[in-house]
Amino acid sequence: MDGKRNALANNCNFSGIRPVMADLSYPPVEVRGKNPFYANLLSIDYCGSVSELSAITQYINNENRLSCDMCPVAKTLLGIAMAEMMHLQKLGELIVLLGGDIDFTAKYNNGKQKLWTPEYVELPSHVRKMLIADIEAEKAAINQYKMHISMINDDCVNDVLARIMIDEEYHIMLLQAMLKEC
């Protein structure tokens, strides 16, 4: 039985994996004042269809499915997921400071509220399609952050969003490099 277990074991060692992010510090997480409108915008980045929560879920799912066959790719995806977790945490802090709630509900300007769902996650079965979906999700996140920065008149919040975008651009570069090797 032990021989059979060992034959089916995942030999990809994930110890020591660190967040994959640009080597730059983050600005302090602070706000100029409470602003429920800004908190609602950030709730979309936190848990909307294009969000850090969706990115984390997508990366972890892809990492799990690739860990037995493509260990280096899986390790990179796990590191990216860890960076996205840090983004989620920073957004959560900003939302609370702005007077919002962390309840996994994206709150839209039209009054609509949508609870996060795994339906937001792309789950292609082929590694190339996974990487392409990850690249597209990163690009969509950058575009959404740019739009939110243009709507937010708080330099403290915008500095954090701009720093998150640097990581997202770094992730695109890494994902594109991996895509070339697949």
Side-chain angles (χ1 to χ4, degrees):
M1 184 82 119
D2 285 338
K4 191 171 193 174
R5 258 193 210 135
N6 287 340
L8 298 176
N10 177 359
N11 293 321
C12 193
N13 182 347
F14 290 98
S15 66
I17 299 295
R18 299 177 46 84
V20 172
M21 53 199 301
D23 189 21
L24 300 168
S25 62
Y26 275 85
V29 177
E30 56 189 19
V31 301
R32 295 289 174 205
K34 292 200 180 286
N35 189 313
F37 175 74
Y38 296 168
N40 288 348
L41 284 176
L42 296 184
S43 75
I44 297 165
D45 300 321
Y46 188 87
C47 64
S49 60
V50 174
S51 69
E52 298 299 336
L53 186 58
S54 295
I56 293 163
T57 306
Q58 185 165 310
Y59 281 120
I60 291 294
N61 184 278
N62 290 346
E63 172 269 316
N64 287 161
R65 294 188 294 150
L66 295 174
S67 64
C68 291
D69 299 324
M70 301 187 77
C71 185
V73 172
K75 286 181 175 183
T76 301
L77 295 181
L78 179 58
I80 293 173
M82 292 168 74
E84 304 295 359
M85 289 177 206
M86 293 177 69
H87 299 163
L88 185 76
Q89 188 275 334
K90 292 188 181 309
L91 289 172
E93 279 189 63
L94 287 171
I95 291 167
V96 170
L97 290 172
L98 290 164
D101 293 319
I102 303 299
D103 56 8
F104 298 102
T105 302
K107 297 159 185 84
Y108 297 91
N109 294 341
N110 61 6
K112 182 179 173 186
Q113 295 188 15
K114 180 104 169 112
L115 187 65
W116 185 87
T117 173
E119 293 173 1
Y120 294 154
V121 179
E122 290 288 323
L123 301 174
S125 58
H126 185 271
V127 66
R128 287 187 60 77
K129 289 182 181 179
M130 285 180 197
L131 295 174
I132 290 168
D134 292 341
I135 291 166
E136 292 306 312
E138 294 283 1
K139 288 179 180 179
I142 290 168
N143 288 335
Q144 184 168 281
Y145 281 127
K146 286 179 180 177
M147 180 178 65
H148 288 170
I149 286 171
S150 74
M151 299 168 75
I152 294 172
N153 188 21
D154 182 323
D155 59 318
C156 296
V157 174
N158 286 341
D159 287 349
V160 173
L161 299 182
R163 174 58 187 85
I164 290 171
M165 284 179 15
I166 292 170
D167 285 342
E168 308 300 20
E169 291 167 351
Y170 182 59
H171 296 163
I172 290 171
M173 181 191 72
L174 291 173
L175 292 163
Q176 288 172 334
M178 288 190 302
L179 185 60
K180 288 178 184 175
E181 293 184 18
C182 290

